[in-house]
Amino acid sequence: MVDLDWKAKMITPKSPKLSDKSRYPVPPSARVGDYLPASTAATLAYEQYVRLPELSKLWSGRDFPDWKSGSLIRPALQGLEITFRFVSLVLSDTRPYANQHEWKRRLEALALHQIELIGTICEEESSDVETRGDMPIADLSNTNGVLARDRSMSQVWNAPNGTSVVNRTSEASLLPRLASWHKSEDIAAKIAFAIECQMQRSPFTLGIGEPNLSGKPNLEYDLICRPADLHALKKCPSDLKNLENQTLFTTYQILECWVYAARKVLDRVEERIEKREYEKSAKDCWLLERIWKLLVEIEDLHLLMDPDDFLRLKNQLAIKASESGSASFCFRSKALLDLTGSSKDLRHKVPQVLGVEVDPTGGPRVQEAAMNLFHRRSDFSKLHLLQAFQAIEGAVKRFFFGYRELVVISMGSLEAKESINGTAYAEPSDQLSQIFLEPPYFPSLDAAKTFLGEYWQYQQLAGLNGNGSRDRSRN
């Protein structure tokens, strides 16, 4: 049995203090979760700009009430479908100075990243016995090769073994149309084969143009995603004579789709922790961390917007990185704020996962339980879940730090509130700096790893001293 009561035996004179204080100059008002939202008028203007009320109705559709995960898969598919529209928008841009080559590369990577996440969601969905039977799926094997003419187009693929596979393809999705346009046929083909690859572990496929050589059942894509209704929202309410307006508008529609999907993943994490399904919760947490990384990728599309057109649009829309120095533009999204706060609130689940109660006197009860779990690895599922918690923390902080740097690049360093010497200073009004410089969200886990590292350092030094004394005794 390994002795973990080593704090009194440490060679170092002082153990690291367990403190919530950061090494960085964070003001007292910068507490976790205490963010100042944008004004009501600014938030309302943002929601009307991205047509959020109409999008929300599509996300919360009740077409399949018995399908529990529909509220997660639907916005993910809609974010992907809007990306197809984004490809069409970029390749139709007539401005000679637009960087179409890099736009095409970025949007292709964005689509592939979304397909990877959708493949993971569908794989987990199909393995869940509770929801597997409620998914809206069209089984082509029961049609004897005859497809209904409504909501589908037929494709016939010749499989390597010489047999023919009749495939069903969405009529409303833009991907088949991109495949027939000479400017986008290469990117559409790459997306289609990416769907084929990423859906390999799922017993069904999406049915929007991928080969489907294995003849899998198809998800009812048109009924779930509702591309026709989705693309009816492509017109921006602010009809400005600026081509970057549509670019900005489309970018934030994709962002809001995935923020909503992330919120549903987080709800499922909390539900599964209550049921003590820790391994499933860990998988969802790792999925949430990957969605936060996708949000960074979506925001980075701002880097390709033409500086002059974008800054003109910024003034046309009265966009400022901060509102009277109180709220960055990203804080106009209430859904993003809610997702951020809820991601941090996972810290309240740590005692429950470890099976201990928080010591009301402030003792290290939770920290010691975490140390025992990390060292003895008594429950792999709990260990994986706690690792995923801290991965989410890193992803959240990277998102807001990346957003702050994005503001610097897109709008100038003055908008990011840098000090005279060029070092970011976390004033009470500079919430982006506050988020990045906040103390650890999971102080008990942080302290447990600190002491565990000291423990192994102590063991190594003790071993070296023991070898030295044995050598001297031989002489």
Side-chain angles (χ1 to χ4, degrees):
M1 182 68 69
V2 178
D3 179 20
L4 282 180
D5 186 20
W6 42 267
K7 286 181 282 186
K9 306 174 185 177
M10 300 289 290
I11 293 177
T12 54
K14 290 185 179 180
S15 299
K17 294 181 179 180
L18 301 182
S19 173
D20 288 340
K21 295 181 180 180
S22 173
R23 296 173 295 172
Y24 304 102
V26 181
S29 61
R31 296 190 302 272
V32 174
D34 289 352
Y35 300 133
L36 297 174
S39 67
T40 303
T43 300
L44 182 60
Y46 169 81
E47 292 178 352
Q48 291 177 343
Y49 178 73
V50 299
R51 304 190 68 170
L52 196 56
E54 295 98 321
L55 277 175
S56 299
K57 290 180 181 179
L58 295 179
W59 297 334
S60 57
R62 302 298 179 186
D63 299 331
F64 307 100
D66 297 330
W67 185 27
K68 291 178 61 177
S69 300
S71 58
L72 167 58
I73 295 181
R74 184 181 293 109
L77 292 176
Q78 289 173 344
L80 178 63
E81 185 65 34
I82 296 174
T83 305
F84 299 156
R85 189 207 318 154
F86 209 161
V87 172
S88 176
L89 175 69
V90 166
L91 296 182
S92 301
D93 194 340
T94 57
R95 292 176 296 174
Y97 51 84
N99 190 351
Q100 284 198 358
H101 174 76
E102 186 61 21
W103 266 115
K104 190 174 180 180
R105 192 188 68 81
R106 288 284 183 117
L107 290 179
E108 178 183 291
L110 180 63
L112 298 184
H113 193 172
Q114 292 178 79
I115 292 167
E116 180 183 356
L117 291 176
I118 291 170
T120 301
I121 295 171
C122 292
E123 179 186 344
E124 296 298 325
E125 170 76 6
S126 60
S127 63
D128 192 334
V129 179
E130 294 182 2
T131 62
R132 185 170 50 198
D134 298 326
M135 299 184 65
I137 293 176
D139 190 353
L140 303 183
S141 62
N142 297 330
T143 63
N144 296 321
V146 179
L147 298 178
R149 297 182 62 85
D150 60 322
R151 303 190 309 274
S152 67
M153 297 184 294
S154 62
Q155 290 181 340
V156 179
W157 296 84
N158 293 322
N161 58 6
T163 61
S164 297
V165 177
V166 180
N167 194 22
R168 174 178 176 173
T169 303
S170 165
E171 279 190 344
S173 176
L174 289 182
L175 184 60
R177 291 167 176 78
L178 292 177
S180 63
W181 187 25
H182 70 281
K183 282 189 174 184
S184 58
E185 57 184 353
D186 55 342
I187 185 174
K190 193 167 183 178
I191 290 172
F193 282 103
I195 295 172
E196 179 81 359
C197 293
Q198 295 297 335
M199 299 299 291
Q200 283 293 315
R201 294 174 180 167
S202 177
F204 58 88
T205 189
L206 301 184
I208 53 175
E210 67 273 25
N212 191 19
L213 296 178
S214 56
K216 292 181 180 180
N218 285 9
L219 202 65
E220 292 280 9
Y221 183 86
D222 287 353
L223 294 179
I224 297 169
C225 182
R226 297 169 62 182
D229 294 334
L230 187 65
H231 295 310
L233 305 178
K234 66 181 180 180
K235 187 175 181 182
C236 179
S238 303
D239 190 14
L240 303 174
K241 294 182 179 179
N242 190 325
L243 293 178
E244 292 295 4
N245 185 38
Q246 196 67 29
T247 302
L248 185 69
F249 164 72
T250 308
T251 298
Y252 277 98
Q253 280 197 335
I254 299 173
L255 181 80
E256 289 292 340
C257 285
W258 279 100
V259 168
Y260 186 87
R263 174 70 258 186
K264 294 302 175 181
V265 173
L266 195 51
D267 290 343
R268 197 164 69 178
V269 167
E270 295 173 351
E271 178 184 344
R272 286 177 167 175
I273 289 177
E274 291 298 324
K275 295 180 180 179
R276 299 185 179 181
E277 298 175 346
Y278 298 128
E279 193 60 44
K280 290 182 178 180
S281 300
K283 290 179 180 179
D284 282 339
C285 284
W286 287 113
L287 175 62
L288 180 60
E289 184 243 4
R290 291 162 63 190
I291 294 178
W292 271 108
K293 291 181 177 180
L294 175 67
L295 298 183
V296 174
E297 195 173 336
I298 295 171
E299 285 286 4
D300 280 350
L301 295 176
H302 287 78
L303 298 174
L304 295 179
M305 297 180 186
D306 178 73
D308 188 62
D309 287 341
F310 175 71
L311 292 174
R312 179 163 58 93
L313 176 64
K314 171 180 175 290
N315 285 278
Q316 289 174 315
L317 296 174
I319 294 176
K320 292 185 178 180
S322 60
E323 247 188 352
S324 303
S326 64
S328 296
F329 180 68
C330 64
F331 288 98
R332 298 188 184 193
S333 171
K334 291 190 294 185
L336 181 61
L337 258 179
D338 176 68
L339 178 64
T340 303
S342 298
S343 296
K344 295 180 180 183
D345 285 344
L346 288 173
R347 68 190 187 276
H348 299 308
K349 301 294 183 181
V350 172
Q352 180 181 350
V353 173
L354 292 172
V356 297
E357 293 183 0
V358 177
D359 191 336
T361 63
R365 186 183 296 170
V366 178
Q367 168 209 323
E368 290 177 351
M371 286 165 52
N372 281 317
L373 176 64
F374 291 153
H375 187 72
R376 296 194 172 99
R377 295 182 284 271
S378 55
D379 192 329
F380 299 155
S381 61
K382 291 183 179 182
L383 177 60
H384 298 164
L385 180 57
L386 297 183
Q387 283 182 300
F389 279 174
Q390 292 190 292
I392 292 172
E393 174 187 353
V396 172
K397 288 189 174 182
R398 281 194 295 270
F399 173 84
F400 286 101
F401 179 76
Y403 185 89
R404 188 182 184 283
E405 296 305 301
L406 182 67
V407 171
V408 174
I409 296 171
S410 302
M411 302 181 186
S413 58
L414 184 62
E415 294 282 3
K417 294 184 176 297
E418 286 194 342
S419 63
I420 297 176
N421 62 3
T423 303
Y425 180 73
E427 298 175 354
S429 61
D430 187 3
Q431 297 188 83
L432 291 176
S433 295
Q434 288 182 11
I435 293 175
F436 184 69
L437 299 177
E438 279 174 342
Y441 302 164
F442 305 93
S444 298
L445 303 183
D446 180 70
K449 290 183 177 180
T450 299
F451 277 119
L452 196 56
E454 292 284 342
Y455 165 75
W456 284 116
Q457 182 181 4
Y458 166 75
Q459 290 291 329
Q460 184 178 14
L461 292 175
L464 292 175
N465 291 337
N467 291 335
S469 61
R470 283 194 296 270
D471 292 339
R472 286 192 296 271
S473 64
R474 291 183 187 139
N475 295 331

